[in-house]
Amino acid sequence: QVQLVESGGGSVQAGGSLRLSCTASGYTYSSYCLAWFRQAPGKEREGVASIDNNGHTYYADSVKGRFTISQGNAGGSLYLHIDRLEPEDTAMYYCAVRGDHMLCGSTLRSPINYRYWGQGTQVTVSS
């Protein structure tokens, strides 16, 4: 059974950096899509970045140049390095796995395309 646990969130001033981590267990896919989503109060959950087993990455336009997604342990670990944080980045950040040997495709996909989710880690950015 796949379980995902996020960590690394916290409160930081604008312009600072954070590194979010997600550890996965019960994960044995050879082909996969991993992603980070975020959801701010009153807003829809949105994809920010994804990566597949080939290392192909995809980013939302709003975070390109500041966010970097990476993986380790054959997909057992997922990371999101955030530079130059902005107040607009404040949100609950979730990691997710699409599951069932499914790749990401050619672009970011909506939350409905992901089967397994962590419970989130809060990022709060003050100005």
Side-chain angles (χ1 to χ4, degrees):
Q1 183 175 358
V2 176
Q3 294 186 20
L4 305 173
V5 180
E6 302 96 335
S7 63
S11 297
V12 63
Q13 293 184 349
S17 299
L18 282 175
R19 180 180 172 86
L20 309 184
S21 299
C22 174
T23 58
S25 61
Y27 191 90
T28 59
Y29 304 146
S30 58
S31 300
Y32 54 80
C33 176
L34 310 174
W36 286 98
F37 289 79
R38 67 183 182 185
Q39 187 168 23
K43 295 186 177 181
E44 296 181 350
R45 187 170 298 187
E46 62 175 350
V48 297
S50 65
I51 187 169
D52 66 22
N53 53 281
N54 293 312
H56 297 158
T57 58
Y58 310 89
Y59 294 94
D61 289 341
S62 61
V63 306
K64 287 181 179 178
R66 298 190 300 113
F67 286 33
T68 303
I69 189 171
S70 61
Q71 63 186 322
N73 193 29
S77 298
L78 180 69
Y79 307 99
L80 186 69
H81 186 88
I82 311 174
D83 288 318
R84 302 185 301 281
L85 280 157
E86 304 172 352
E88 292 74 19
D89 296 321
T90 296
M92 184 74 74
Y93 283 73
Y94 302 88
C95 63
V97 179
R98 195 176 182 196
D100 297 328
H101 300 88
M102 300 182 73
L103 298 176
C104 299
S106 60
T107 187
L108 284 173
R109 295 182 176 274
S110 64
I112 196 172
N113 293 282
Y114 290 82
R115 181 176 180 180
Y116 303 106
W117 294 83
Q119 295 190 23
T121 184
Q122 178 68 40
V123 172
T124 302
V125 184
S126 60
S127 61

